[in-house]
Amino acid sequence: APPERAQAVEAQTRGVLWTQVQQMRQNPVIAVQGEAVSGAEEAEPWDPITWYVPGFTVAFAFFLIGTVASTLLQEKEVGTFRRLIASPMPRGAIIGGKMLAYVIVVFLQVIVLFGAGTIFFKMPLGESPVALLLRTLALALASSSLGMLLGAVCTSSKQSDRLGMVLGFVLMALGGTVGFPLFRAEGFMGLLSRMTPNAWGIEGYMGLIVDHWTLAQTLPNILVVLGFAVVFFALALWRFRYD
C-alpha cells in the first residue's frame, strides 16, 4: 500500500485503541474494591506526628533536669540558699517550692508543642482532657524531681549542668524518642526502655492521642510515672545537703 494510506490506517487504528482504553477506564470490566475481613479491625494509617510530638515533648521535659540542678546549686554557691534554711519553713517545702517553677515550665512546653502539632499537623488531643492534664502533671513532677535528685548528688553547678545534658540524651535514646519506640520492642532493650520515665511518658501520650485511651485506661501509666517522681523526690530529700 502507498505510505500515505498506511499512515492513515495506523492513525485510525491508534484512535480506535485509545477510545477503547478511555472507555475501559471509565467503565472497567472488572471492578476491584478492598474490604476488611469480617470480624477483623482495619488498621489506620500511622501518622509519625503522633510519635514525634509526644517523644520530643517528653525529651524536652527531661532536658530541664540539668537546669533545675544547676539553679539549685548556684543558690548554694552564692549563699542565698542559707537564707532559705534559716526561715521557719520545712526543708521539704524548700525543695518542693523549687520544683513548682519547673512544673509550670513543663506545662508551658506541652502547651506549645501540642498546640503546634494540633494547629499545623491536625494532631488529635484524645478524648479525655482530664487524663491529658494528669499525664502532663505526672511528667512535670517526674522531671523536676529528677532534677532535684541531680542537684543533691552533684557538687557544683557546672557538674550538674553537664551531667544533666548527658542524662537527658541517654533518657531520650532509651525512652524511644529517636529511631524507634523502644518500649514496644521485645527482649532486653524493651525492658531497659521501660525502666525510664521517658518511655512511660511517651506511651501515655500516644495512648491518649492515637489509641483514644480513657482516664481509666491512662491511670496505670500515670501512676507509674508518679512512682518515678516519688522515688526521685525521696532520694533527693535523703541525699540533699542543707549547708
Side-chain angles (χ1 to χ4, degrees), residues 138-157:
L139 172 68
L141 291 174
S143 62
S144 56
S145 298
L146 183 57
M148 288 298 167
L149 176 58
L150 187 64
V153 298
C154 291
T155 57
S156 67
S157 58

Side-chain angles (χ1 to χ4, degrees), residues 3-243:
E4 295 80 4
R5 185 176 180 182
Q7 292 178 1
V9 172
E10 183 179 357
Q12 185 178 6
T13 304
R14 289 183 179 180
V16 173
L17 291 175
W18 182 248
T19 303
Q20 292 294 328
V21 170
Q22 293 297 329
Q23 291 178 356
M24 291 175 64
R25 287 182 177 179
Q26 297 176 0
N27 301 302
V29 178
I30 301 176
V32 179
Q33 182 178 2
E35 295 183 358
V37 179
S38 178
E41 296 183 358
E42 187 175 0
E44 298 180 358
W46 180 67
D47 185 0
I49 293 298
T50 59
W51 170 42
Y52 289 140
V53 172
F56 282 101
T57 297
V58 174
F60 291 158
F62 282 93
F63 271 123
L64 286 174
I65 60 178
T67 304
V68 175
S70 62
T71 301
L72 184 62
L73 291 171
Q74 283 174 4
E75 290 190 0
K76 295 180 68 175
E77 291 168 356
V78 299
T80 56
F81 189 76
R82 296 187 182 91
R83 299 179 183 179
L84 292 176
I85 297 177
S87 64
M89 70 175 62
R91 292 183 173 182
I94 296 176
I95 296 182
K98 298 292 181 182
M99 290 174 53
L100 179 60
Y102 293 97
V103 168
I104 296 174
V105 171
V106 172
F107 265 92
L108 292 176
Q109 287 182 343
V110 173
I111 291 173
V112 171
L113 292 173
F114 273 60
T118 301
I119 294 172
F120 297 110
F121 302 102
K122 308 301 180 182
M123 185 187 75
L125 295 179
E127 300 178 357
S128 177
V130 176
L132 184 61
L133 178 65
L134 294 177
R135 170 90 289 285
T136 303
L137 177 60
L139 172 68
L141 291 174
S143 62
S144 56
S145 298
L146 183 57
M148 288 298 167
L149 176 58
L150 187 64
V153 298
C154 291
T155 57
S156 67
S157 58
K158 291 183 179 180
Q159 181 189 29
S160 65
D161 200 12
R162 295 170 184 171
L163 186 58
M165 182 65 66
V166 173
L167 187 56
F169 277 110
V170 171
L171 290 174
M172 182 176 70
L174 290 179
T177 298
V178 293
F180 177 77
L182 289 177
F183 53 86
R184 292 184 175 179
E186 298 181 356
F188 175 74
M189 291 307 299
L191 178 62
L192 184 62
S193 177
R194 288 196 167 274
M195 295 176 65
T196 67
N198 294 54
W200 291 91
I202 298 173
E203 184 183 44
Y205 280 129
M206 290 184 66
L208 284 170
I209 66 179
V210 178
D211 300 325
H212 308 292
W213 283 2
T214 63
L215 177 59
Q217 291 173 309
T218 315
L219 192 58
N221 182 279
I222 295 173
L223 293 177
V224 171
V225 179
L226 285 177
F228 278 105
V230 170
V231 172
F232 294 152
F233 186 74
L235 291 175
L237 288 178
W238 174 54
R239 290 296 305 271
F240 194 78
R241 295 181 294 274
Y242 296 91
D243 51 15

